[in-house]
Amino acid sequence: MVYSPEMVALLQQLRSRIFAEFGTRIRLADPALLTTVGDLGKKSRDPFTRKTVVEIMKLAGIPFQIEVTQGAVAPPRDAQSVEMTYRGAKIVRDKPSGAVSADTPLERQTRQMYRGQVVYK
């Protein structure tokens, strides 16, 4: 397929993002490039990647739509999970079993990760 300059520019922007997220290299010479990019766009968690894939498909004339998520939807919290801040992003982890009881004052403090270690504030 012959790609327009706009499509080539968008695909170049996606190259490093797709490789970083999925470990897959995309090549312009690949005959199934648009199919591959479409599949990876649906699996991607990156909003920029998802938006760019929709733009590429629109430029190619392929009807394509990805369900738009309103921000990051937090998974349901239960008694076995703890919310932490890791490198500025909120994550939910399972509680370590047996090491710390739920009644200790450390559990009530804010937890953050710093260089892979839990820091209580």
Side-chain angles (χ1 to χ4, degrees), residues 5 20-21 33 40 45 47 67-68 70 73 78 85 89 95 102 119:
E21 190 172 0
L33 174 67
L40 294 175
R45 292 187 205 155
E67 301 84 29
V68 179
Q70 297 294 331
V73 177
D78 57 356
T85 303
K95 284 185 181 178
V119 178

Side-chain angles (χ1 to χ4, degrees), residues 17-31:
R17 289 179 176 269
I18 287 178
F19 182 72
E21 190 172 0
F22 300 107
T24 303
R25 295 199 184 272
I26 60 172
R27 300 168 51 133
L28 295 176
D30 184 13

Side-chain angles (χ1 to χ4, degrees), residues 38-112:
D39 292 341
L40 294 175
K42 289 182 180 179
K43 295 177 188 175
S44 178
R45 292 187 205 155
D46 181 23
F48 179 81
T49 301
R50 295 167 69 91
K51 180 184 67 130
T52 307
V53 167
V54 170
E55 290 177 25
I56 290 171
M57 294 302 184
K58 186 169 67 171
L59 288 172
I62 299 172
F64 188 79
Q65 188 173 6
I66 296 178
E67 301 84 29
V68 179
T69 57
Q70 297 294 331
V73 177
R77 294 187 63 191
D78 57 356
Q80 299 298 326
S81 64
V82 174
E83 184 175 307
M84 291 187 227
T85 303
Y86 180 72
R87 294 188 177 189
K90 298 282 185 186
I91 58 172
V92 178
R93 292 265 174 107
D94 292 336
K95 284 185 181 178
S97 61
V100 179
S101 71
D103 296 334
T104 61
L106 294 177
E107 285 293 318
R108 294 184 191 127
Q109 294 179 355
T110 305
R111 294 211 281 167
Q112 286 190 329

